[in-house]
Amino acid sequence: MLEIKLEKKELPFAMAEEIKNLRTGISFSGENLKTLLFTSCTPNEGKSTIALETVRSFAELGKKALYIDCDLRKSIFNSRVVEGKPKYGLTHFLTGQCKLENIIYRNVDKEDDIHFDLIPAGPVSNSPTELVASDKFKDTIQKLRDEYDIIIIDTPPLASVGDAAIIGAMVDGSILVIEAGNADYRLVQKVRDKLATSGSRILGVVLNKVDKSNKSYGYYKRGYGYGYGYGYGYGYEDNK
């Protein structure tokens, strides 16, 4: 397996603790919960950062963890690689250009000895919806599910394209990342309904970039009607 290294953000203590709380919430959400989808309503809500940090957090416990970048339209994965260069990605595999083992990379951080695996999206596809809706992709998720303790799938914002709803029907649960203060209530309801219609089990909401000085942020957790609400007062900016 080829090794690469992603940039590692030094999280503020409060955010690092909330990531651990999110990990705990996922762990207690049900038995045999292995495949999770992370999505958002719109770009720039911090979804990809939260997804990657959650994978890292599970790896810290010694879990065999996998991150899959399923944004086949506008991936930012390569911009986060600081060592190594992925040759193949998910689009290569789904279009028959390589084998599954060719697209699985190991993120190695020798400083803290925390390892987890990654599948990059690969080049932008002209037919991303067809690829993630294919039997090949569905069968691959099931195969990987048997090999890993936890798989987190990072998908495009659901208000823009329907990829997350398609993938939602294949996974054990979905988590919606929302940027505090900028979320439109009706849009969040629409995205929730899309996930629910797909048959996906919605585990909860991550409320990101919370201004802890604003006591009204709790309204968002109550208003969306999900089982969990996690507030991150120190969320990083993200392109997805």
Side-chain angles (χ1 to χ4, degrees):
M1 183 181 294
L2 294 177
E3 296 182 354
I4 60 174
K5 183 178 180 180
L6 298 184
E7 64 175 347
K8 183 180 179 182
K9 296 179 181 294
E10 292 299 325
L11 302 182
F13 176 79
M15 184 177 180
E17 288 302 302
E18 293 294 353
I19 290 289
K20 292 178 182 178
N21 289 337
L22 174 58
R23 181 187 67 195
T24 300
I26 291 170
S27 299
F28 283 92
S29 290
E31 187 179 2
N32 207 28
L33 194 70
K34 288 189 172 185
T35 53
L36 300 175
L37 175 152
F38 277 57
T39 192
S40 60
C41 295
T42 59
N44 305 314
E45 297 194 77
K47 165 182 59 63
S48 295
T49 294
I50 298 299
L52 275 168
E53 292 301 330
T54 304
V55 172
R56 192 187 302 275
S57 185
F58 274 102
E60 288 177 351
L61 294 181
K63 300 293 185 181
K64 189 176 181 182
L66 173 68
Y67 168 88
I68 304 178
D69 183 0
C70 272
D71 193 340
L72 308 185
R73 304 168 187 269
K74 191 182 178 182
S75 173
I76 61 168
F77 183 90
N78 287 339
S79 67
R80 300 186 176 211
V81 177
V82 294
E83 290 184 15
K85 185 177 181 180
K87 181 178 180 181
Y88 296 109
L90 187 58
T91 51
H92 290 113
F93 170 68
L94 293 178
T95 54
Q97 300 180 55
C98 67
K99 297 180 180 179
L100 179 59
E101 55 263 33
N102 298 136
I103 65 172
I104 302 177
Y105 299 83
R106 176 147 297 168
N107 180 71
V108 176
D109 193 327
K110 297 179 181 178
E111 295 180 1
D112 55 18
D113 197 33
I114 296 174
H115 309 325
F116 57 91
D117 294 347
L118 310 110
I119 295 180
V124 174
S125 170
N126 292 326
S127 53
T129 301
E130 289 76 7
L131 291 181
V132 298
S134 67
D135 289 338
K136 186 173 185 177
F137 179 73
K138 183 178 180 179
D139 293 342
T140 299
I141 295 299
Q142 185 57 49
K143 179 180 179 180
L144 292 170
R145 189 182 188 281
D146 295 334
E147 298 178 8
Y148 287 89
D149 298 317
I150 187 76
I151 298 172
I152 290 181
I153 303 173
D154 187 1
T155 65
L158 187 50
S160 304
V161 294
D163 298 8
I166 294 171
I167 300 171
M170 307 175 189
V171 299
D172 300 326
S174 299
I175 292 175
L176 181 60
V177 178
I178 297 174
E179 180 181 358
N182 287 328
D184 180 88
Y185 180 75
R186 288 186 293 268
L187 184 61
V188 174
Q189 285 186 313
K190 183 179 179 180
V191 168
R192 176 200 61 188
D193 291 344
K194 283 185 177 180
L195 281 173
T197 300
S198 75
S200 180
R201 177 188 173 196
I202 305 173
L203 299 180
V205 168
V206 172
L207 191 61
N208 194 30
K209 305 180 187 178
V210 173
D211 180 2
K212 290 295 183 68
S213 65
N214 184 356
K215 302 300 182 181
S216 66
Y217 80 89
Y219 161 81
Y220 293 99
K221 292 191 283 188
R222 294 191 298 271
Y224 296 132
Y226 294 100
Y228 299 97
Y230 303 97
Y232 299 92
Y234 304 92
Y236 288 94
E237 294 297 323
D238 198 327
N239 290 329
K240 292 202 290 180

